[in-house]
Amino acid sequence: MTPENTPTVEELEEQQRRLVFPRFTHEDAWALGCLLVERARERRAPVAIDIHRAGQQLFHAALPGSAPDNDAWITRKRRVVERYGAPSYLVGARCRAKGRTFEESSRLDPDAYAAHGGSFPVTVEGAGVIGAVTVSGLPQLEDHRFVVETLEEFLGRSAG
């Protein structure tokens, strides 16, 4: 971690390599979504939560304090994961490491894509990236950390 506790590109890439599902069913999406809601309620986090797999929304929740704008951010961040197969925060960090913005580097419509933290690929062993889990409502690094911490807990439970 850098002095500001901002993860490096290498640390973000390691998170992606490590957080892989053995499988990802509708039931897994529901259980993960419920865990995200539970953890968000504990923190009183004003977030919206979304889980997509293969173009289908499997879970969505909007907690108190979230707004319609959060759903728009979810869509924009999820599109980055779907296009690049990497966490939205990592895609932005790679651009920043090169001294550029995502908007300059990608030349994609910023109304459709946002390389801000909070969307993480659902990667399945042997299949690759099949979807995304996305949170919006906190500052981007907090959105990213919240998703990563909850994925770590969820996958730790699954392995046990």
Side-chain angles (χ1 to χ4, degrees), residues 66-78:
S66 65
D69 227 25
N70 296 119
D71 292 331
W73 276 99
I74 282 171
T75 299
R76 293 168 59 218
K77 292 190 279 189
R78 187 187 73 245

Side-chain angles (χ1 to χ4, degrees), residues 99-152:
R100 301 190 62 174
T101 67
F102 170 74
E103 294 75 17
E104 292 169 330
S105 297
S106 70
R107 302 186 65 194
L108 295 170
D109 181 355
D111 289 334
Y113 295 87
H116 291 256
S119 192
F120 203 93
V122 173
T123 305
V124 174
E125 292 173 15
V129 176
I130 61 154
V133 55
T134 311
V135 170
S136 175
L138 304 170
Q140 68 166 327
L141 182 53
E142 289 179 44
D143 275 347
H144 174 80
R145 285 189 175 137
F146 177 65
V147 172
V148 168
E149 289 167 9
T150 309
L151 284 171
E152 288 171 339

Side-chain angles (χ1 to χ4, degrees), residues 9-103:
V9 168
E10 294 75 21
E11 288 169 324
L12 295 166
E13 290 171 342
E14 189 277 328
Q15 289 173 348
Q16 183 177 5
R17 280 191 299 276
R18 186 170 40 85
L19 297 173
V20 175
F21 292 81
R23 66 182 190 306
F24 195 76
T25 65
H26 285 78
E27 291 78 15
D28 294 321
W30 177 260
L32 175 58
C34 289
L35 181 61
L36 284 157
V37 167
E38 183 180 332
R39 295 297 171 257
R41 284 182 173 155
E42 288 169 0
R43 299 175 187 199
R44 291 189 170 92
V47 297
I49 299 163
D50 181 87
I51 300 175
H52 264 69
R53 182 187 71 180
Q56 181 183 22
Q57 184 179 54
L58 300 183
F59 186 93
H60 186 84
L63 277 63
S66 65
D69 227 25
N70 296 119
D71 292 331
W73 276 99
I74 282 171
T75 299
R76 293 168 59 218
K77 292 190 279 189
R78 187 187 73 245
R79 284 182 180 144
V80 168
V81 171
E82 292 168 347
R83 184 174 185 110
Y84 293 92
S88 55
Y89 192 77
L90 171 57
V91 173
R94 286 176 174 155
C95 295
R96 288 187 295 277
K98 294 176 183 172
R100 301 190 62 174
T101 67
F102 170 74
E103 294 75 17

